[in-house]
Amino acid sequence: MADFTSGFWNIFITVLTLLGVFGCGLLLWAQSRQQIVVKPGADGGIGTTGHVWDENLTELNTPMPRWWMWLFTITIVFALVYLYLYPGLGSYPGKLGWTSTGQYTEELKKADAEYGPLFDGYLKKDLKVVAADPQAHAIGERLFLTYCAQCHGSDAHGSKGFPNLTDRDWLYGGDPETIKTTLLHGRNGIMPPMGAALGSDADVANVAQYVLSLSDAPSDPIKRVLGQSKFAVCAACHGADAKGNQALGSPNLTDKIWLYGGSADTIMETIRKGRNNVMPAFQDFLGEAKVHVLAAYVWSLSNDPVAQK
Amino acid sequence: MSTPEVSVIKMYAAREEIYPREIKGRYATLRWLCVWLTQLVFYGLPWLQWNDRQALLFDLGARKFYIFGIVLWPQDFIYLAVLLIICAYGLFLVTAVAGRVWCGFACPQTVYTEIFLWIERRIEGTRSARMRLDKQAWGIDKLWRKSAKHLVWGAVALWTGLTFVGYFTPVRSLIGAVASLGLGPWEWFWILFYSLATYGNAGWMREQVCKYMCPYARFQSSMFDKDTLIITYDTDRGEPRGPRSKKTIAPAAKAQGDCIDCSMCVQVCPTGIDIRDGLQYECIGCAACIDACNSVMAKIDLPAGLIRYSTDHAITKKWSFAQMQARVLRPRVLIYTAILALIISAFFVSLFMRTPLKMDVIRDRGSMGREVEDGMIENVYRLQIMNTDEARHHFKISVAGIDGIALASPDELDLEGTGSRAVPVRVRVAAGEGRPGSNKISFTLVATDHINQKVTEKAVFFVPRGAGHDEHDDHH
């Protein structure tokens, strides 16, 4: 453990801690051997040790019970045993080698052992069957709210830059297996900046008008026609019919679904600057069994699992 | 008693064994009544059933406290805090009026010591027999008596530990698990820990707990005043003390007081003090010395009450009982009573008005507010709905705060008893409604199959600036 940049502090803390513990023990030992002469009180009652503070405060001769001494001794022994077993002396890791990370891993293992069979049971089943299972649906919903809702929203409707998962439009394909692949390995959707390839700013504006017209949005008739001739550059990915290509993850431009927005300005911005979209991979983080349940849940959002079972 | 001479002591002294003499009397009977009452409740409660479950169960694992018809969740922790405050104030009030009656009659330390002492007496005999037994050398008699005593103590302690854990783990299955040694490590730990604590405190430590461990013994003096009931020895009447023969019983001749110095009051004291030395912090107010003295006074035909419950004022100013009584309702007591009554009524009112329904509204931060079909503005929320009732209910969600505001997702759901669920909901407002920025709205959850189960939570609805007019404005 490299908590200390200098070996000095390691020794400093170790020595200080042990000095403190042994110091307490020494004090206790010395006190237990000390004898006090007790003078009787003025009225012959409880005597005092003869110590007087602040003019008239005297210490009565009521010694502590001896079991207190044993409690102190037990405490000192406990401290030493603890410091031997657990980290506490500088960078000494302790005989048991305990770490908070280790404990976390262990608890994770325990949870996996407890719930693993449940998820493994689903893993053996077809995704559509899992999607129709009410318990798997409830688990999937909780997993989604924990791991997916940050980007896609609690209702899975997404937001700007993050796809809506409840419509039936898919960048990479909407069958359950493809969704699972997306979750397992992630996706990296790149729309390169196309401003230079298209030519002038006017060309970009014209193409944008053409793109608008593809989904029957209001567009400028002249610019639209001018843009159509430049669309060949875009067709490489989006296809000549502009219906996109799920193998590449290039969106269909003819529906009314927009990842970043469907206004002329936004489309021009997309063309000029490009877009870079990352869906992270969850295989290492969640494991295949949980992803399986999640994929079934996500698929069910835009499909009726019971009808298609 | 130590003679007044110079002596040499060590800083740590061994405990001196105290052999309290058994005493019968009004207060002893009262204490036994308290022992029976508290222990019937303690040992009995975990066995009561309610709705097919343990009536009183603090299920730490599931984080639910079952108290008869009520199920408390971690969110209801305030009730536990208030309950503790009520206990504390109750203690303050009782102490201000009647001194350490809690210590002497109802404190678990006193109660278990009483039980353990009773066992000790049945096995080892009376005070003098026990003193003899401790002095004599180890033999068959001493060996079997001592081991029998510890065996019985251990059994009582184990049952106590088991009962204690029975409040946290269903006691019926716990007994079975103990029989088959199938307990979890924590259950073992707490059963043994609590048993050992009972055995050690009631069997071995006894008055040491009151004198050196109990924090209450240390600060109770701040609740005492000169009108607080204390156990007092009437010095004027008792002194000068000394043995007396039948002849010297001449009330007029004040050469001798009523105290015959029989030392019974010292022999019965569980903390080993002499009440005739005046009020001491070791005195737990158990009134054993009152019982002892009264029985002696009865034997020698003198009025009872040489040692009695009285107040400092009543003793020094020679007040009558009525005069003493008149001082009970002094400002300190009235204030304590008023505060206590206030907290208790607030506690019960809020407990009975509490709806077994909880809802947290968490606004989705991913999208501030988005435009959907027909130019409507949509916000997304996650409702964490908790049905703390034990029955399954059907719920309806509604939203209010802006004209025409409505849910765009299913607004009805079922939730099983003591269940919770996170429900994503979409809320829509028509374009132009609400002002740009945040608008105050509220969600209401109602159980449609049960009256009076309703909870309303505030939330914020965000309308993007320029929404409903032109998208461009959004990006400037």
Side-chain angles (χ1 to χ4, degrees):
Chain A
M1 292 224 294
D3 287 341
F4 302 108
T5 48
S6 144
F8 168 77
W9 293 110
N10 176 25
I11 296 164
F12 180 78
I13 288 174
T14 307
V15 168
L16 218 61
T17 309
L18 289 178
L19 267 183
V21 175
F22 285 119
C24 286
L26 200 70
L27 183 73
L28 185 65
W29 180 75
Q31 291 295 296
S32 69
R33 290 173 56 86
Q34 195 168 351
Q35 299 195 329
I36 303 166
V37 178
V38 178
K39 299 184 186 93
D43 56 353
I46 300 166
T48 73
T49 56
H51 293 163
V52 180
W53 296 272
D54 289 343
E55 295 179 8
N56 59 1
L57 286 181
T58 55
E59 186 180 19
L60 299 180
N61 75 338
T62 41
M64 281 192 104
R66 195 186 283 161
W67 54 262
W68 258 125
M69 194 179 83
W70 289 115
L71 274 188
F72 283 136
T73 312
I74 290 169
T75 311
I76 288 168
V77 171
F78 178 88
L80 290 174
V81 170
Y82 179 88
L83 288 172
Y84 171 70
L85 293 176
Y86 289 94
L89 292 175
S91 58
Y92 169 66
K95 185 73 185 161
L96 296 180
W98 183 92
T99 60
S100 50
T101 318
Q103 176 153 3
Y104 171 74
T105 317
E106 205 162 289
E107 282 176 18
L108 210 62
K109 229 188 274 169
K110 224 160 71 186
D112 279 344
E114 193 177 345
Y115 302 112
L118 178 73
F119 285 107
D120 288 342
Y122 289 127
L123 188 54
K124 291 194 195 86
K125 291 180 190 159
D126 182 71
L127 279 162
K128 288 186 183 177
V129 177
V130 176
D133 183 307
Q135 190 194 17
H137 185 87
I139 295 171
E141 185 180 39
R142 278 197 287 276
L143 286 173
F144 186 89
L145 288 175
T146 308
Y147 299 110
C148 316
Q150 286 81 357
C151 294
H152 294 283
S154 296
D155 62 344
H157 277 227
S159 61
K160 189 174 174 177
F162 301 100
N164 180 347
L165 305 177
T166 63
D167 56 23
R168 309 199 70 167
D169 180 54
W170 294 93
L171 289 167
Y172 296 90
D175 59 290
E177 288 302 330
T178 310
I179 294 173
K180 186 177 168 184
T181 308
T182 303
L183 289 173
L184 282 176
H185 307 296
R187 298 286 185 187
N188 198 349
I190 296 171
M191 155 94 186
M194 299 301 285
L198 282 173
S200 65
D201 273 359
D203 291 327
V204 171
N206 293 343
V207 171
Q209 288 302 315
Y210 175 66
V211 169
L212 276 174
S213 74
L214 287 171
S215 50
D216 296 331
S219 53
D220 185 304
I222 299 165
K223 286 182 178 173
R224 180 201 313 166
V225 176
L226 289 171
Q228 186 172 13
S229 59
K230 285 277 184 185
F231 189 74
V233 183
C234 315
C237 291
H238 292 282
D241 56 356
K243 293 231 186 257
N245 183 351
Q246 291 189 334
L248 293 170
S250 51
N252 180 349
L253 302 178
T254 62
D255 55 20
K256 294 192 169 187
I257 294 165
W258 297 97
L259 192 51
Y260 288 91
S263 71
D265 278 0
T266 311
I267 293 170
M268 284 195 286
E269 184 185 308
T270 304
I271 295 170
R272 269 200 298 267
K273 296 180 182 165
R275 298 286 181 185
N276 198 345
N277 239 13
V278 176
M279 158 80 191
F282 279 90
Q283 184 167 34
D284 291 344
F285 183 56
L286 289 181
E288 199 191 340
K290 279 181 191 155
V291 168
H292 193 77
V293 174
L294 252 177
Y297 173 78
V298 170
W299 176 78
S300 77
L301 290 173
S302 52
N303 295 275
D304 182 355
V306 182
Q308 302 206 14
K309 192 170 172 179
Chain B
M1 291 265 90
S2 59
T3 43
E5 60 185 28
V6 173
S7 55
V8 177
I9 61 155
K10 289 209 167 181
M11 296 274 279
Y12 297 94
R15 171 179 183 251
E16 279 173 49
E17 184 67 39
I18 294 170
Y19 302 89
R21 178 188 284 275
E22 186 173 21
I23 189 71
K24 291 194 164 54
R26 204 160 96 200
Y27 296 108
T29 310
L30 192 65
R31 183 162 36 258
W32 274 111
L33 207 71
C34 285
V35 171
W36 277 104
L37 219 74
T38 53
Q39 295 320 290
L40 272 179
V41 169
F42 176 73
Y43 291 116
L45 261 185
W47 296 93
L48 285 182
Q49 293 290 107
W50 186 281
N51 284 353
D52 291 331
R53 57 155 169 89
Q54 196 164 313
L56 201 68
L57 182 69
F58 307 112
D59 192 343
L60 296 178
R63 293 186 212 91
K64 291 186 180 75
F65 286 10
Y66 300 92
I67 302 167
F68 294 94
I70 303 169
V71 185
L72 296 183
W73 286 39
Q75 287 88 340
D76 299 310
F77 203 76
I78 181 83
Y79 292 109
L80 186 65
V82 175
L83 200 65
L84 288 176
I85 293 171
I86 289 174
C87 288
Y89 260 96
L91 203 58
F92 294 172
L93 175 62
V94 166
T95 307
V97 173
R100 293 177 72 175
V101 284
W102 162 260
C103 296
F105 293 89
C107 170
Q109 178 62 23
T110 299
V111 165
Y112 286 104
T113 302
E114 196 76 13
I115 295 171
F116 274 48
L117 271 172
W118 183 85
I119 293 167
E120 195 169 64
R121 268 187 218 113
R122 297 285 87 72
I123 296 172
E124 292 187 2
T126 59
R127 167 184 154 91
S128 43
R130 266 183 293 141
M131 290 168 95
R132 236 181 300 120
L133 188 74
D134 276 4
K135 282 208 185 77
Q136 92 193 19
W138 282 96
I140 297 291
D141 183 60
K142 185 168 178 174
L143 192 70
W144 90 256
R145 278 182 197 279
K146 288 279 173 192
S147 15
K149 178 180 83 173
H150 287 291
L151 222 67
V152 179
W153 276 3
V156 173
L158 263 177
W159 191 255
T160 309
L162 207 67
T163 304
F164 177 73
V165 174
Y167 281 88
F168 301 92
T169 303
V171 76
R172 282 152 209 263
S173 58
L174 190 70
I175 298 292
V178 168
S180 62
L181 301 179
L183 289 176
W186 283 111
E187 286 161 338
W188 275 120
F189 173 79
W190 283 110
I191 288 176
L192 293 180
F193 179 86
Y194 205 77
S195 302
L196 209 68
T198 309
Y199 172 78
N201 285 341
W204 292 93
M205 301 303 283
R206 292 194 183 161
E207 84 290 346
Q208 300 279 309
V209 175
C210 311
K211 283 163 75 173
Y212 301 110
M213 295 184 200
C214 178
Y216 176 54
R218 299 278 153 180
F219 70 79
Q220 43 124 0
S221 58
S222 66
M223 284 160 261
F224 270 54
D225 56 31
K226 287 185 186 309
D227 292 306
T228 298
L229 274 186
I230 48 172
I231 290 171
T232 50
Y233 164 69
D234 193 339
T235 317
D236 284 348
R237 190 186 136 188
E239 300 294 320
R241 68 182 84 150
R244 59 164 79 192
S245 62
K246 290 271 180 202
K247 276 177 263 170
T248 52
I249 305 175
K254 196 57 190 162
Q256 197 172 2
D258 282 355
C259 175
I260 58 167
D261 207 10
C262 65
S263 83
M264 280 295 278
C265 56
V266 180
Q267 291 183 31
V268 298
C269 181
T271 60
I273 58 165
D274 187 343
I275 194 65
R276 294 170 301 177
D277 291 342
L279 183 63
Q280 296 143 73
Y281 87 93
E282 290 97 333
C283 175
I284 59 167
C286 71
C289 51
I290 298 182
D291 279 339
C293 192
N294 282 349
S295 69
V296 170
M297 288 295 125
K299 269 182 215 149
I300 60 171
D301 282 333
L302 283 175
L306 178 59
I307 300 176
R308 63 175 184 270
Y309 270 116
S310 185
T311 69
D312 195 51
H313 269 148
I315 286 286
T316 54
K317 297 183 178 172
K318 305 221 174 297
W319 280 352
S320 68
F321 183 71
Q323 278 174 303
M324 191 173 88
Q325 225 178 3
R327 295 283 297 190
V328 170
L329 295 178
R330 53 196 187 277
R332 172 200 285 263
V333 174
L334 292 177
I335 291 169
Y336 279 157
T337 313
I339 295 176
L340 190 63
L342 204 74
I343 304 174
I344 290 178
S345 32
F347 177 76
F348 280 103
V349 166
S350 90
L351 195 64
F352 284 112
M353 283 174 58
R354 160 184 176 275
T355 161
L357 195 57
K358 293 177 202 306
M359 176 169 66
D360 290 331
V361 181
I362 305 153
R363 205 178 164 282
D364 257 29
R365 285 159 202 281
S367 65
M368 287 297 273
R370 60 185 172 220
E371 216 176 309
V372 291
E373 59 254 45
D374 306 327
M376 290 182 104
I377 305 298
E378 184 176 86
N379 276 206
V380 182
Y381 304 82
R382 198 186 300 179
L383 306 184
Q384 183 72 36
I385 297 173
M386 289 155 268
N387 174 19
T388 75
D389 199 28
E390 283 181 278
R392 185 186 178 86
H393 287 303
H394 186 76
F395 297 103
K396 189 171 164 63
I397 309 165
S398 59
V399 61
I402 303 174
D403 281 341
I405 190 167
L407 286 174
S409 51
D411 61 350
E412 295 196 31
L413 70 145
D414 276 321
L415 201 51
E416 76 267 27
T418 62
S420 71
R421 207 181 130 189
V423 184
V425 294
R426 277 171 285 134
V427 176
R428 281 184 190 171
V429 164
E433 294 290 355
R435 57 186 172 78
S438 48
N439 295 265
K440 282 179 185 156
I441 61 163
S442 65
F443 285 94
T444 301
L445 185 70
V446 186
T448 54
D449 54 358
H450 197 281
I451 49 160
N452 288 337
Q453 277 202 21
K454 184 175 168 186
V455 62
T456 301
E457 283 292 329
K458 284 183 208 145
V460 162
F461 188 93
F462 185 81
V463 177
R465 261 162 238 288
H469 309 291
D470 196 350
E471 247 249 54
H472 303 188
D473 299 18
D474 215 9
H475 301 298
H476 278 302

